[in-house]
Amino acid sequence: MDDVVSLIDVRATYEGERHATLAGVTLSVAATEQLAITGPNGAGKTTILEVINGLLPIASGTVRTLGQEVTLASHRLRTQIAYVPQNLFFSPDTPFLVRDVVLTARFGKTGTRRLFAASEGRHVDRSLAAVGISDLGGRPVGRLSGGQQRKALLARALAQEARILLLDEPTANLDPEAKHEVADLVALVRRELGAATVVVSHETGPLLDASDRTVAVDSGRVVAETRLGDRVPAFSR
């Protein structure tokens, strides 16, 4: 199976920082695979997502996503990548409806001229229905619970028709029931799109249990790797 993400000896440093956040990371993600990245705070987990997505320039090494070398100018490439950042929660006064948030995912596919065409509305409707929140489409996104907001962002990824999902702590700060619901929806979106998925998490749970591989990161390096068959699930329903 071909790799859709490849990092080779990647080093990266945030502007103003003296020490490298990534210190020689090598990893790959195969098409349709779900890879989990774990490790303590400050280990470099989120940074890996940012270099895959071309949001952080690398100091050395090679990053290839969907067969292309990634740079800050890889705008068209990013239309194929759905990225849900850590702690992306909408404040109560956010002036957008849920369906508006999902609709913005279509911009990279259609541009502004067709964004409000009936066919694009149908894409939004199907995506909301797939994750079970059709009834929330007309509500302000900031008035939703944390779990509902995560569902809206997964609906947005589905509407984007992304080939890669990058999910940074998607179950953080959710109650146990919501964690399972989000994990189930990630599996649904991944299956619908046939997408490779990279999940960052510092906690055990259903998303890690469902991953094909887990890599542990510490001090900017990959320090361990396990496969699905090598792990004992952390807990069950």
Side-chain angles (χ1 to χ4, degrees):
M1 189 178 296
D2 293 336
D3 292 335
V4 294
V5 173
S6 174
L7 279 65
I8 301 175
D9 196 24
V10 170
R11 297 174 181 273
T13 306
Y14 288 103
E15 186 175 356
E17 296 288 334
R18 296 180 58 187
H19 302 290
T21 307
L22 299 183
V25 168
T26 296
L27 61 79
S28 61
V29 185
T32 75
E33 179 182 30
Q34 181 165 309
L35 175 71
I37 302 175
T38 66
N41 291 336
K45 304 185 300 296
T46 295
T47 309
I48 291 174
L49 299 187
E50 292 178 347
V51 300
I52 291 172
N53 208 13
L55 298 178
L56 178 70
I58 62 174
S60 62
T62 303
V63 180
R64 296 187 70 83
T65 301
L66 298 173
Q68 301 178 43
E69 192 161 345
V70 178
T71 70
L72 287 174
S74 300
H75 305 301
R76 185 172 295 277
L77 177 62
R78 279 192 284 275
T79 67
Q80 301 295 313
I81 302 170
Y83 179 36
V84 180
Q86 183 178 8
N87 295 324
L88 177 57
F89 291 100
F90 299 94
S91 65
D93 59 351
T94 301
F96 298 108
L97 303 180
V98 171
R99 66 177 299 107
D100 296 333
V101 171
V102 177
L103 181 62
T104 60
R106 301 295 302 168
F107 176 77
K109 301 285 184 183
T110 66
T112 55
R113 187 166 58 181
R114 291 190 56 235
L115 188 60
F116 298 101
S119 59
E120 299 310 308
R122 288 192 290 271
H123 271 292
V124 171
D125 291 339
R126 285 196 295 269
S127 299
L128 291 171
V131 302
I133 58 170
S134 293
D135 57 326
L136 301 180
R139 291 185 57 183
V141 68
R143 301 296 177 89
L144 304 187
S145 68
Q148 289 171 331
Q149 289 190 24
R150 290 299 183 193
K151 291 179 182 180
L153 291 172
L154 289 171
R156 187 180 187 280
L158 193 55
Q160 187 178 340
E161 299 177 317
R163 294 177 60 190
I164 297 175
L165 306 177
L166 304 179
L167 309 176
D168 195 354
E169 303 282 3
T171 60
N173 303 314
L174 301 182
D175 62 48
E177 181 179 355
K179 289 180 191 291
H180 279 286
E181 289 180 352
V182 169
D184 290 344
L185 289 175
V186 169
L188 180 149
V189 172
R190 176 189 173 199
R191 183 171 62 250
E192 288 287 324
L193 298 176
T197 304
V198 183
V199 177
V200 160
S201 182
H202 71 280
E203 60 185 6
T204 58
L207 266 178
L208 264 63
D209 292 343
S211 297
D212 301 296
R213 284 188 299 135
T214 299
V215 296
V217 178
D218 197 7
S219 301
R221 294 179 173 86
V222 174
V223 295
E225 177 180 338
T226 57
R227 294 186 177 274
L228 180 61
D230 301 330
R231 299 194 306 272
V232 176
F235 57 83
S236 59
R237 293 180 190 267

